[in-house]
Amino acid sequence: MNIPQLVWIRRDLRLHDHHALKAALDTGEKTALVFIFDPAILNLLSNKHDRRITFIIESLEELEKILNENDSSLIIRIGNPSEIWPKLVDEFQTKKVFFNKDYEPYAKKRDEEVSKILSKKNVSVQNYKDHVFYEKHEVLSQSREIYKVFTPYKNKWLETFKSQDSHIPNYKPNTKNLFTTKPLNTLLTKDLHLELGFHRMSDNLLKGGTSFALKRLHHFKDDIDQYDEWRNIPAINKTSNLSVYIRHGNLSVRDMLRLPQSILSAHKNDGASVWMSEVIWRDFYQMILDVYPRVEKNCFKPQYDSVKWVNNKEHFKAWCEGNTGYPIVDSAMRCLNATGMMNNRLRMVVASFLCKTLLIDWRWGEKYFAEKLLDFDLAANNGGWQWSASTGVDAQPYFRIFNPYSQSEKFDPEGEFIKTWCIELSHFDKKTIHSPHDTDFVEQAKAQCVIGKDYPHPIVAYKVQREKALFMYKAAVKTED
Ligand SMILES: Cc1cc2nc3c(=O)[nH]c(=O)nc-3n(C[C@H](O)[C@H](O)[C@H](O)COP(=O)(O)OP(=O)(O)OC[C@H]3O[C@@H](n4cnc5c(N)ncnc54)[C@H](O)[C@@H]3O)c2cc1C
């Protein structure tokens, strides 16, 4: 079989607004799509019930269905891309390979290796900006420096956008040039979960695929006006919940930006502005990881590498399992464990709690989130953790420490979120639910929950830990002086 061109899809699992696919199909040559399951990534997933595998397979199944309707089919392989690609181009006599750029350190190394191998075989390799709206060289300060603080970066991002007439390109692939094949070797008749050694997780709250992503985006139109107020209230779940779709590319970043832009071009709207800022945060963290790959393992601010974390393993276990005795932290962690999702405000609360109350290295928490989050994305996760631990770009100062009790009272005032995930606390009222250990035995009996028996005592005392955290950080910063 002869397939002159192949498009390698990775974190861009869609057929619309796809830069590499459009570029390939525009040449007029017949083109097929390839997806490779890479053991270097799969082997990191020790939980064989990983929800992300199901999400990816659902996304591929949707693509396959649409391709089959066009008499085309996905090419799926399992193996090391550096070994798979030479075989693929030999098998199909391919002359050109296209893909969209990925800015993670492992992906950059992988793509460089594959490109070298293919070039040696006289196969032309072309890559495209797709995953971000602006790349590192497109948003620079006046002195052509990288921004290390978000607000000036965002201002320049918006200024650049405006100077380009707020134009959002749409890379519409011409599907007429898709490679057609009969009989179809369709993945829809295979059990990919079984081949990969994973279980299908049929209870995922968010299903993989562009049709689900577009439905969510459409649905979110009704809520975007109030986003600036509602985003911090986990109980109402009124953020877009699109991060998992943008992570796997069921939607493009341009799809995301079109929504606030269409509103803001007509009138001022705080919800749309704040939401657009969040999408710009995503570009910012992608840019930071691209320019400073060392942040994957190290503090962005090197002086914090000498922080002497306490790293108590029992405390870490209690944090992971949602048994710290701090209801807002426990409910957030139990929600993460059960669904793979967590609201941004809660991510900040539990991350701050881990680093600045339990005095545990942010890398432990980052790794746990990487295992659990459905939307896990190295750049955003690393950026979020380093922000919370005060070690990163644009981090909050180390002496600003989230008080888990006041965060709880402010953002879950009725205790509704807590009651969903810590059901043993359901009978406490809205005043006592944030710190149930402060109640007496009579109140606990009335609430049918004895602290220390039905729900844990706080594993540490917040006020004491706060002082220890200040001391721990100060010592590290001093060492550097
Ligand atoms: C400790 C910590 C870890 C995080 N880990 C991740 C992660 O692994 N993957 C991830 O996508 N986001 C991560 N975030 C950012 C943020 O929490 C999620 O993007 C957001 O909660 C996803 O929900 P949503 O889609 O409803 O977002 P919305 O509030 O609707 O925001 C819209 C989109 O903007 C982007 N976005 C929003 N906030 C941020 C942010 N702070 N940084 C970067 N992009 C943002 C996301 O793509 C999101 O889908 C983390 C934040 C913290 C504090």
Side-chain angles (χ1 to χ4, degrees):
M1 209 172 353
N2 198 341
I3 311 180
Q5 300 191 145
L6 292 172
V7 175
W8 183 12
I9 55 169
R10 297 93 64 90
R11 50 189 306 167
D12 43 8
L13 306 181
R14 64 180 183 280
L15 294 171
H16 73 281
D17 194 11
H18 192 294
H19 203 164
L21 185 60
K22 176 182 167 51
L25 291 171
D26 279 356
T27 64
E29 292 278 6
K30 289 292 170 199
T31 301
L33 285 85
V34 175
F35 185 87
I36 301 173
F37 283 99
D38 180 352
I41 297 172
L42 293 179
N43 293 343
L44 297 175
L45 309 177
S46 53
N47 178 7
K48 298 302 162 201
H49 292 83
D50 198 297
R51 296 180 180 282
R52 291 159 300 189
I53 297 297
T54 297
F55 189 94
I56 291 169
I57 293 177
E58 284 170 351
S59 302
L60 293 173
E61 285 169 347
E62 186 192 61
L63 290 187
E64 181 71 339
K65 218 168 138 217
I66 301 168
L67 288 172
N68 287 182
E69 283 160 13
N70 288 281
D71 294 329
S72 192
S73 185
L74 275 174
I75 299 167
I76 304 273
R77 293 287 185 273
I78 303 170
N80 176 350
S82 295
E83 290 164 13
I84 297 280
W85 269 108
K87 290 187 199 151
L88 275 175
V89 296
D90 285 349
E91 182 181 347
F92 298 120
Q93 301 295 303
T94 301
K95 291 283 162 250
K96 279 189 185 167
V97 171
F98 298 72
F99 57 80
N100 288 323
K101 283 190 238 174
D102 185 329
Y103 307 93
E104 294 189 1
Y106 169 75
K108 286 201 285 190
K109 194 165 157 267
R110 173 198 64 198
D111 292 352
E112 214 179 288
E113 260 174 43
V114 168
S115 300
K116 268 191 201 148
I117 293 169
L118 292 180
S119 297
K120 276 194 192 146
K121 292 177 80 67
N122 289 323
V123 175
S124 142
V125 180
Q126 300 187 16
N127 55 46
Y128 297 86
K129 174 181 83 169
D130 180 87
H131 177 59
V132 295
F133 196 74
Y134 287 130
E135 285 182 326
K136 58 186 173 193
H137 59 277
E138 294 178 282
V139 183
L140 294 173
S141 71
Q142 277 208 324
S143 51
R144 316 261 330 137
E145 305 270 347
I146 294 289
Y147 284 106
K148 294 179 193 149
V149 177
F150 177 69
T151 305
Y153 171 86
K154 181 182 93 172
N155 292 340
K156 189 60 183 282
W157 192 106
L158 289 169
E159 194 186 304
T160 311
F161 185 53
K162 219 169 149 193
S163 74
Q164 297 166 355
D165 299 326
S166 307
H167 173 64
I168 301 176
N170 192 345
Y171 301 105
K172 284 187 186 159
N174 176 358
T175 45
K176 265 193 228 136
N177 288 327
L178 280 172
F179 174 78
T180 52
T181 171
K182 289 234 169 119
L184 295 167
N185 177 22
T186 176
L187 81 90
L188 298 175
T189 56
K190 292 183 189 165
D191 188 344
L192 259 182
H193 283 90
L194 194 70
E195 276 186 49
L196 297 168
F198 285 84
H199 297 274
R200 187 181 280 273
M201 300 300 290
S202 41
D203 63 342
N204 270 3
L205 290 177
L206 299 174
K207 299 263 173 246
T210 296
S211 52
F212 291 102
L214 290 173
K215 254 187 230 153
R216 286 213 78 83
L217 185 63
H218 184 74
H219 185 69
F220 182 63
K221 270 186 197 162
D222 298 339
D223 295 332
I224 195 169
D225 284 357
Q226 281 94 353
Y227 176 76
D228 52 323
E229 291 165 27
W230 288 352
R231 67 189 175 134
N232 281 317
I233 314 292
I236 60 175
N237 190 18
K238 290 283 189 186
T239 61
S240 70
N241 285 301
L242 284 170
S243 50
V244 57
Y245 295 104
I246 185 89
R247 162 66 183 84
H248 294 99
N250 303 104
L251 284 181
S252 71
V253 63
R254 297 168 296 280
D255 287 325
M256 300 276 278
L257 289 167
R258 270 180 216 115
L259 172 62
Q261 180 51 26
S262 67
I263 298 168
L264 292 167
S265 61
H267 51 82
K268 192 175 168 306
N269 181 307
D270 289 343
S273 291
V274 175
W275 199 67
M276 188 149 172
S277 277
E278 297 304 324
V279 182
I280 301 173
W281 266 108
R282 178 180 171 277
D283 258 16
F284 179 61
Y285 282 143
Q286 290 290 332
M287 180 277 287
I288 293 294
L289 183 63
D290 188 18
V291 179
Y292 304 101
R294 66 178 167 80
V295 298
E296 190 184 0
K297 304 260 181 316
N298 304 295
C299 297
F300 179 82
K301 293 185 182 143
Q303 68 265 38
Y304 290 95
D305 274 327
S306 52
V307 170
K308 299 261 180 294
W309 303 101
V310 172
N311 290 343
N312 178 316
K313 285 192 181 137
E314 297 217 333
H315 288 172
F316 183 62
K317 185 168 180 283
W319 178 84
C320 293
E321 291 173 353
N323 283 321
T324 64
Y326 285 79
I328 194 69
V329 173
D330 293 342
S331 50
M333 293 305 292
R334 292 182 197 184
C335 171
L336 172 69
N337 292 334
T339 65
M341 290 149 63
M342 195 194 287
N343 166 282
N344 183 61
R345 166 63 48 184
L346 296 178
R347 293 187 205 204
M348 293 193 291
V349 170
V350 301
S352 173
F353 186 80
L354 186 80
C355 305
K356 295 180 173 175
T357 303
L358 297 181
L359 317 181
I360 291 177
D361 193 331
W362 59 270
R363 281 159 281 229
W364 292 28
E366 187 202 20
K367 184 164 177 278
Y368 190 73
F369 267 33
E371 282 165 23
K372 296 283 171 187
L373 278 176
L374 201 53
D375 67 12
F376 165 61
D377 173 82
L378 178 58
N381 196 40
N382 182 277
W385 273 96
Q386 294 226 38
W387 183 91
S388 305
S390 297
T391 62
V393 270
D394 206 42
Q396 59 169 346
Y398 75 78
F399 47 82
R400 214 183 291 149
I401 298 179
F402 276 19
N403 178 327
Y405 299 120
S406 45
Q407 291 284 315
S408 185
E409 284 160 14
K410 191 163 173 199
F411 298 114
D412 191 25
E414 305 293 321
E416 278 175 82
F417 185 81
I418 293 174
K419 286 178 187 176
T420 307
W421 294 102
C422 293
I423 42 171
E424 65 272 41
L425 300 175
S426 315
H427 298 294
F428 282 101
D429 63 29
K430 65 179 187 183
K431 277 204 179 120
T432 50
I433 196 161
H434 308 284
S435 54
H437 62 282
D438 284 336
T439 55
D440 60 27
F441 193 72
V442 177
E443 282 173 294
Q444 291 177 24
K446 232 165 83 191
Q448 299 162 34
C449 176
V450 177
I451 302 302
K453 181 170 156 266
D454 303 313
Y455 181 75
H457 276 292
I459 54 172
V460 290
Y462 167 70
K463 278 192 181 153
V464 176
Q465 295 300 105
R466 190 178 183 284
E467 293 312 310
K468 286 189 193 167
L470 291 174
F471 184 78
M472 176 184 84
Y473 275 100
K474 206 169 171 183
V477 178
K478 246 193 196 150
T479 317
E480 263 313 292
D481 297 344

